[in-house]
Amino acid sequence: MRVREEERLRALHEYNLLDAPADDELEAVVRVAAMVAGVPNATLNLIDEKRQCQLTTTGFEGGDSAREDSMCAIRFETGRFTYLPDASVDPTYATNPWVTGLLADVRFYASAPLVTPQGHALGTLCVFDSEVRELSDEQIARLKDLAQVVLALFERRRQARLNARLYVEAEARQDFTDAVLETIDVAVVAADPHGHLTLFNRASREWHGLDADPSITPGDFADHYALYRTDGVTPLPVEEIPLLRALRGGMVRDAEMIIKPAGRTPVHVNVSGRALTTADGSPLGVVVAMSDVTADRAQREALENALTELRRSNTELEQFAGVVSHDLAAPLAVVHGYLELLADNYRENLDELAHKWIDSAVRAVGRVQGLIDALLSYARAGSEPCRRAQADLGEVAKLALLDLHEVIEPAGARVELVPGLPTLAVDPTLIRQLLQNLIGNAVKYRHPDRPSRITVAAGPDPGGWRVTVTDNGIGIPASDRARVFEMFTQIDGELPGYGVGLSTCQRIVERHGGTIRAEAAPGGQGTTIAFTLPEA
């Protein structure tokens, strides 16, 4: 009980409502509640550790009172509507100070509990009068509806506060990203799906001598941005421009060209890039990263020239090999070692683009080292004789069952995990939440006339896997199977739940690039919720 109360209080404080002024919408709902009940008094009560806080009232001056004096605190955690035509004749309420005259002379009393989708009771929407009164079924139903409106307003306020915080965080992340792009010495260029440029970072602007111009057509890139083949003389044909190649083919690795704008030092660059797409494969554009390899290529040319000279004499060749070994091979080995340390020890702290840069650097060092090794061998010959993580779906499902132990066991439900559940690149925490929601729903909506049986299975699907959670419960009418994933949708208002769980499941599946749907269970008794998870 203590743990449950702590969870309830956390949920209450998360809404940040206590001791805060009610907005106009909440005040309007309370006034409407009084009108629906036909009484002068209504209040929105929140129950915390020690008190009843009347957030807003109509018909009387509200305030705080002790929780033990509260009429609403008596039954609000049951989640059921309370209706007393005459509270003075109810043994539970007759001695309450709100009834005896100590705080008020309440006779008629009705309250609708405010219960979150997670089952935490925050308080009540309460109507009362000093005279004995009765409510019709229609009035009770409308008061329940108003309680749901209050909860929706609470949630909207909470979500607005979260969105504001997320916006600030997103702004900070964007500022950080911009700072990184403007600081690094790698040129980053991006274009839209039609090849029109949208981004030049600092290095790109410095090398080209100008900024990205979306009005320049791809066919004019070589001329406008001074792009040449590696000979530094031949303008780069449009079909060889790395950005456009990546846009057409999806990826380019280690392409080379020279940027040679008038009046500036030419830059020999190594280019890698890829096309960008959404989760469903729709094109977003393309991005390429260019590394300055001018010095590397100049060094390679110098080594090749030196090799030609070394052929004149084995003695001169041996002397050159010693110089290369000492002055080039050792520093390159150090560079290679530090790159490996960076990749191994800081991998989790680096994003995908950083890994690409490290991999490109390792490959470049390896190429130079290979050339040096070849030169050394030649000299001797002349003088001597890969925050999705791989997760086992079966193990994730077992963890979900552990979470649901206190729900499954009292219901007498039996859950079977069919062998062969795959290992997939997913977010294990989100998939655990997904399975917990689906299995919990299956238990919650079990059929009263038969033992609850639930099966979790999976099978190959084009591009990934199809996972199913099948029950033998009350089922979902065919006409409602599409809309059950809409927020706040309830098929039967008499059953528990607030129409949020399946919406949450849909969000989790869509974040993984999959789809989810409700179907009739095989044999027609119960429901199958089927969702897809892409292979990668």
Side-chain angles (χ1 to χ4, degrees):
M1 289 295 292
R2 178 179 296 178
V3 172
R4 180 66 178 171
E5 175 65 3
E6 289 176 353
E7 292 175 349
R8 186 192 75 80
L9 291 172
R10 277 198 298 271
L12 173 63
H13 292 303
E14 184 180 347
Y15 282 94
N16 200 28
L17 294 164
L18 290 169
D19 303 314
D23 54 34
D24 294 343
E25 293 169 319
L26 289 174
E27 292 177 353
V29 172
V30 172
R31 290 194 297 270
V32 172
M35 183 185 68
V36 168
V39 298
N41 305 308
T43 177
L44 188 56
N45 293 332
L46 299 177
I47 311 296
D48 69 6
E49 298 93 327
K50 298 180 179 180
R51 60 175 175 154
Q52 169 183 276
C53 172
Q54 291 179 326
L55 189 61
T56 182
T57 65
T58 187
F60 71 104
E61 186 71 27
D64 291 354
S65 58
R67 179 170 175 171
E68 58 265 25
D69 292 338
S70 169
M71 294 179 71
C72 292
I74 295 175
R75 291 178 179 166
F76 81 111
E77 290 187 276
T78 67
R80 296 191 294 271
F81 188 88
T82 298
Y83 166 43
L84 304 173
D86 186 353
S88 67
V89 299
D90 188 297
T92 303
Y93 292 85
T95 59
N96 187 276
W98 286 86
V99 179
T100 62
L102 184 61
L103 294 177
D105 295 307
V106 173
R107 291 298 175 266
F108 165 77
Y109 169 81
S111 65
L114 304 173
V115 183
T116 70
Q118 293 74 33
H120 300 302
L122 308 179
T124 67
L125 176 62
C126 169
V127 293
F128 63 92
D129 195 0
S130 58
E131 298 179 6
V132 176
R133 292 181 180 273
E134 293 188 355
L135 292 177
S136 67
D137 291 343
E138 180 68 17
Q139 287 173 303
I140 292 174
R142 298 293 74 78
L143 288 173
K144 290 180 179 179
D145 289 343
L146 288 173
Q148 292 304 305
V149 172
V150 169
L151 282 169
L153 292 174
F154 285 177
E155 182 61 28
R156 189 181 71 178
R157 177 187 284 190
R158 186 183 73 88
Q159 195 60 51
R161 191 171 67 254
L162 291 176
N163 288 344
R165 188 174 70 203
L166 290 174
Y167 176 79
V168 172
E169 292 174 355
E171 286 272 290
R173 285 195 296 270
Q174 184 62 53
D175 290 344
F176 177 78
T177 301
D178 292 342
V180 170
L181 287 174
E182 292 302 294
T183 302
I184 58 176
D185 292 324
V186 174
V188 178
V189 179
D192 65 19
H194 304 291
H196 297 290
L197 299 183
T198 58
L199 169 70
F200 265 25
N201 72 339
R202 176 192 57 81
S204 296
R205 295 192 299 272
E206 289 179 354
W207 295 353
H208 289 283
L210 68 169
D211 204 347
D213 186 347
S215 67
I216 302 301
T217 61
D220 295 330
F221 279 177
D223 180 57
H224 187 77
Y225 295 107
L227 308 181
Y228 293 84
R229 283 178 173 168
T230 54
D231 60 12
V233 175
T234 308
L236 196 63
V238 66
E239 64 272 11
E240 295 181 17
I241 296 174
L243 183 141
L244 301 179
R245 287 173 52 197
L247 190 61
R248 293 191 304 268
M251 182 177 293
V252 167
R253 290 186 182 275
D254 298 326
E256 293 193 10
M257 65 180 184
I258 290 179
I259 302 171
K260 195 175 70 171
R264 289 178 174 267
T265 302
V267 182
H268 192 139
V269 295
N270 179 282
V271 189
S272 294
R274 66 187 308 154
L276 305 175
T277 60
T278 62
D280 62 3
S282 301
L284 284 175
V286 64
V287 62
V288 296
M290 300 183 290
S291 301
D292 183 354
V293 294
T294 305
D296 177 77
R297 297 303 177 262
Q299 186 179 64
R300 177 182 296 180
E301 184 178 355
L303 289 172
E304 290 174 351
N305 292 335
L307 179 60
T308 301
E309 294 297 323
L310 289 172
R311 286 174 180 159
R312 298 178 181 179
S313 170
N314 283 341
T315 302
E316 292 178 352
L317 181 60
E318 290 175 13
Q319 293 173 346
F320 178 76
V323 172
V324 170
S325 176
H326 182 271
D327 293 344
L328 292 179
L332 282 172
V334 172
V335 171
H336 191 276
Y338 275 114
L339 287 171
E340 288 185 334
L341 286 173
L342 183 61
D344 292 340
N345 296 330
Y346 297 92
R347 180 166 295 276
E348 294 182 355
N349 298 324
L350 299 175
D351 59 19
E352 182 180 356
L353 185 57
H355 287 303
K356 289 182 180 178
W357 297 339
I358 292 173
D359 291 340
S360 296
V362 170
R363 288 194 299 272
V365 170
R367 287 194 298 272
V368 177
Q369 285 179 320
L371 178 59
I372 293 173
D373 289 342
L375 290 174
L376 292 174
S377 297
Y378 187 88
R380 296 189 190 101
S383 61
E384 298 177 0
C386 163
R387 228 174 177 166
R388 294 189 186 207
Q390 292 293 323
D392 184 330
L393 200 60
E395 293 301 320
V396 175
K398 290 176 183 178
L399 292 174
L401 294 181
L402 285 176
D403 295 337
L404 293 168
H405 176 73
E406 294 183 1
V407 174
I408 295 172
E409 187 173 30
R414 189 175 71 199
V415 182
E416 177 188 5
L417 303 181
V418 176
L421 294 176
T423 296
L424 296 173
V426 295
D427 184 318
T429 301
L430 288 179
I431 297 302
R432 178 176 176 177
Q433 180 185 353
L434 170 66
L435 292 174
Q436 183 178 336
N437 281 355
L438 295 180
I439 296 170
N441 269 4
V443 175
K444 182 188 300 182
Y445 299 111
R446 61 189 180 275
H447 199 285
D449 298 330
R450 52 179 176 261
S452 176
R453 299 293 180 263
I454 303 160
T455 303
V456 180
D461 188 70
W465 288 78
R466 183 177 188 266
V467 184
T468 58
V469 178
T470 302
D471 63 59
N472 63 342
I474 61 175
I476 301 173
S479 59
D480 294 320
R481 288 175 192 152
R483 71 183 189 93
V484 292
F485 298 99
E486 298 174 0
M487 185 67 89
F488 303 123
T489 296
Q490 293 178 278
I491 304 305
D492 188 337
E494 297 301 319
L495 293 172
Y498 296 91
V500 178
L502 287 179
S503 297
T504 302
C505 293
Q506 185 178 46
R507 275 193 163 193
I508 293 173
V509 171
E510 288 179 349
R511 286 184 64 185
H512 285 80
T515 59
I516 188 169
R517 58 178 295 165
E519 306 168 351
Q525 291 188 337
T527 299
T528 293
I529 302 294
F531 60 91
T532 59
L533 292 174
E535 196 88 44

